[in-house]
Structure formats: structure tokens, C-alpha cells
Amino acid sequence: MLPPPSPSDPSAPAVVAGAGESLEKAIPWMRELRDGYRLIAVDTAVGALADFGLRPDYLILLEGQIVNYLDFVHGGHHLPPEVCVVADITSAPSVMRIAGGAQCHVLSRFADLRLFDRLAAAGLPALFLQPAGSVGIAAVYFAQLMYHGPTILTGLDFSFRAGKTHARGTPAHLLSLLRTERTHPIGIGSGHPFRGTHHRPARDGATVLTTAVLESYARTLATLDRDRLLDSNPSGITGEIAYADERRIRDLLGTPLSAPQRLHRKVPDTPTRFDALDFLRSEQALLDRVQSGCRAIASGNSPAETWRTNLRDLDYLYVDFPDEPAP
């Protein structure tokens, strides 16, 4: 297990690619100016990028379930070692194997768990990310940690048109094509695929569809370093982030970077050693104490407060994932 390596050119501009429909409009300048920026892509965008020969420098992979496998069925599997796959330690192992690439690890503190404190105290060699709720926001946060230049966004729409929620080549779009039948053409019955879908005006005055959760993601995105953020989508709902048209993008990315991406791993003067087996044994001991407490309470031989004290250390057993809309 290794933390993400540092880039050799931290002042380079970065492009963060999500899987929204605006990614399609960005493909031409992304291909033409590819030598002028570093590309950080979310997992759901890797197939669409591969269709046009675009290989990311970093790929962000956070999903913990096997459904994430769909992102690598089309064009994105078996990435070369030049691609750094930044995976959460809770990512599905089978997905990490099919992804390939040079893998490193992060941990998203999606809730205030004592487990995370114990992992950090034990010296877990992973970069801790702030909770984002969306892999796209996590990718932007990661890009701003790695690179100090401007960060240009594409495909992070947090909105969609009726009948098409994602860019061509992404799993959602391919599945909509596969499900098309004579009595169920593309777009019919799929205009409002999410609960709570509603209309709202976009930056350019167009009307788009979104949800309360997607809008909360857009607000979370606006809490990052906006001075270095630029959105390339004219129809986006990220109004608090400055818009960059193609002319401005060409000014920022038109100069090729001096050398290919090289990644350096910093070795601390006093490296910490993470003993995974010892950590798992200590966690098993915590579980055993809670189970013993349950049996003791059931037989009337132990006060409930002692059991509650032990259970607090295992808060991951009952925490709910905080994916509700932000207030």
C-alpha cells in the first residue's frame, strides 16, 4: 500500500474530467492541447476518454462496490503503469485488479469515525481526503493538492438534459443504448431518471435538469480553491466558479509542458511502519469484546454502559453514509 506520489511538475495546469455530457464538447481541445496539461479523470470517464485516445495521468477510483467494474468494461481496463490509479482503500479489490496502472491509495473520511483515527495513529500510508460525496469533487480536491496551477473542469456538470445524463462512451450512456428497444427508444421514459429531478437555469440561460443532491455537490465544489478553478461548461450550474471559453483555455494550455509526467515518491526522514496484520488483530479484539459484552448483557452479567463504551470504538458498524443534500 502506497500513498500517491508527487508530480515532477507541480506548477502545471490540470484538467479534471468527469463523465457529464459537457465532456464531449471538450474532447477536441483536450486532444489538441494534450501536451499542455495534466489529466485527472474520474473512473466513470475513463472509457469515454479512451475512445479518443486520451490517457489520464491520474485516475480517481473511490467506489467500494462491484458495480464500479462497469467503468472498465469499455476501453478503460488494464491501464499502463504510466497511469497512477488513486484508489480508496475501501475500493472493490476486483475492480482495482482490472483497472491496472500504478496503484496508490487514499482514504476518504466520509464520516467522523474512530476507525479513521486508529488507522492514522497506526501509520497507514494513505493520503486522507476530505469527504466530498462525489468522486468528481474528490478528483478536483486531489488535483489541487497535486498541482498549483489553474484547474480546468469538464464533465462535472451536476445537471443533464432529458434523455441523456452522461457523455458518450460512459457506462450510463452505453447501458441506455443497450436497453433501447422498438417500443422503448432512446430518451423515452428516461427524461427524469432520478428522484426529485427538477428544472433550473444554467449559466448560459438554458434550462437543464438536476436534483437536490447534484446541486449540493455543486455547492460543495464551490467551497474549494475557486481562485484556481475554471469551468469549461457554458451550460453548467457551477455559477460561483468562473467560466473559461475555448479561447481562454487555449491561452492557458497552449504551451506544451517541458517533459512527460514523472512521479516521485517522497520518503520521510522517519518513515512510519504500518503493520496491517497487527492492526487487524487489534480490530478483531475490539469486535470480540463487543460480542462478549452482548452475551453478558443478555445473561444479565454485565452493565450496559460498559458495552456502550466498547461499541463506540466500532462506530463504523452503525454509521450511515452522509449522502443527503447539504442544507
Side-chain angles (χ1 to χ4, degrees):
M1 181 181 293
L2 295 170
S6 300
S8 58
D9 49 357
S11 62
V15 172
V16 177
E21 189 180 9
S22 68
L23 176 63
E24 297 177 16
K25 300 176 182 178
I27 289 294
W29 61 257
M30 290 178 69
R31 296 181 68 186
E32 182 181 345
L33 306 174
R34 184 62 186 92
D35 292 336
Y37 63 91
R38 300 308 181 200
L39 178 57
I40 295 92
V42 305
D43 44 14
T44 49
V46 66
L49 294 171
D51 280 346
F52 295 96
L54 287 167
R55 187 180 68 192
D57 296 295
Y58 291 95
L59 178 70
I60 311 300
L61 191 153
L62 302 182
E63 176 61 55
Q65 300 185 48
I66 193 62
V67 68
N68 207 188
Y69 191 95
L70 291 174
D71 297 329
F72 301 93
V73 170
H74 172 66
H77 60 286
H78 300 310
L79 294 168
E82 292 79 16
V83 178
C84 182
V85 176
V86 182
D88 196 292
I89 64 170
T90 63
S91 298
S94 59
V95 176
M96 294 170 65
R97 286 194 293 269
I98 194 66
Q103 297 187 0
C104 54
H105 298 86
V106 295
L107 181 57
S108 175
R109 297 196 66 143
F110 57 84
D112 187 18
L113 300 179
R114 296 188 180 189
L115 173 64
F116 294 151
D117 296 331
R118 295 196 296 274
L119 283 167
L124 179 75
L127 174 67
F128 282 78
L129 297 181
Q130 68 179 32
S134 160
V135 64
I137 301 174
V140 176
Y141 179 74
F142 179 83
Q144 293 195 322
L145 285 178
M146 294 291 108
Y147 298 98
H148 307 144
T151 304
I152 299 174
L153 313 180
T154 178
L156 297 178
D157 303 341
F158 306 117
S159 61
F160 52 93
R161 294 186 300 157
K164 188 178 181 186
T165 58
H166 293 75
R168 291 194 304 268
T170 59
H173 185 253
L174 292 174
L175 285 173
S176 72
L177 296 177
L178 290 171
R179 291 168 178 166
T180 299
E181 300 174 0
R182 292 175 179 173
T183 58
H184 191 90
I186 296 175
I188 301 299
S190 59
H192 296 72
F194 306 119
R195 185 178 64 180
T197 299
H198 59 270
H199 294 86
R200 66 160 289 171
R203 178 185 288 112
D204 59 0
T207 299
V208 295
L209 294 168
T210 188
T211 67
V213 172
L214 291 177
E215 287 180 314
S216 75
Y217 293 161
R219 290 193 295 270
T220 301
L221 181 63
T223 65
L224 302 184
D225 187 354
R226 282 181 287 173
D227 292 339
R228 292 193 286 133
L229 284 181
L230 295 167
D231 191 356
S232 67
N233 180 15
S235 299
I237 64 171
T238 55
E240 296 182 63
I241 297 173
Y243 168 63
D245 59 16
E246 188 169 333
R247 181 177 179 179
R248 187 175 183 188
I249 290 172
R250 289 182 178 277
D251 289 341
L252 291 170
L253 309 183
T255 303
L257 299 176
S258 58
Q261 169 83 311
R262 296 189 307 276
L263 302 175
H264 302 297
R265 296 196 182 276
K266 294 182 179 180
V267 179
D269 296 333
T270 56
T272 57
R273 180 175 180 270
F274 179 69
D275 190 327
L277 183 59
D278 183 66
F279 182 83
L280 291 174
R281 285 171 176 163
S282 65
E283 289 298 304
Q284 183 62 55
L286 284 174
L287 283 168
D288 291 342
R289 286 201 293 272
V290 169
Q291 288 179 329
S292 298
C294 288
R295 289 191 289 268
I297 290 174
S299 61
N301 295 326
S302 176
E305 186 55 38
T306 301
W307 175 78
R308 291 193 188 97
T309 300
N310 289 329
L311 185 61
R312 289 191 188 103
D313 286 331
L314 301 179
D315 45 6
Y316 60 85
L317 293 176
Y318 51 83
V319 69
D320 292 325
F321 193 86
D323 203 26
E324 294 296 321

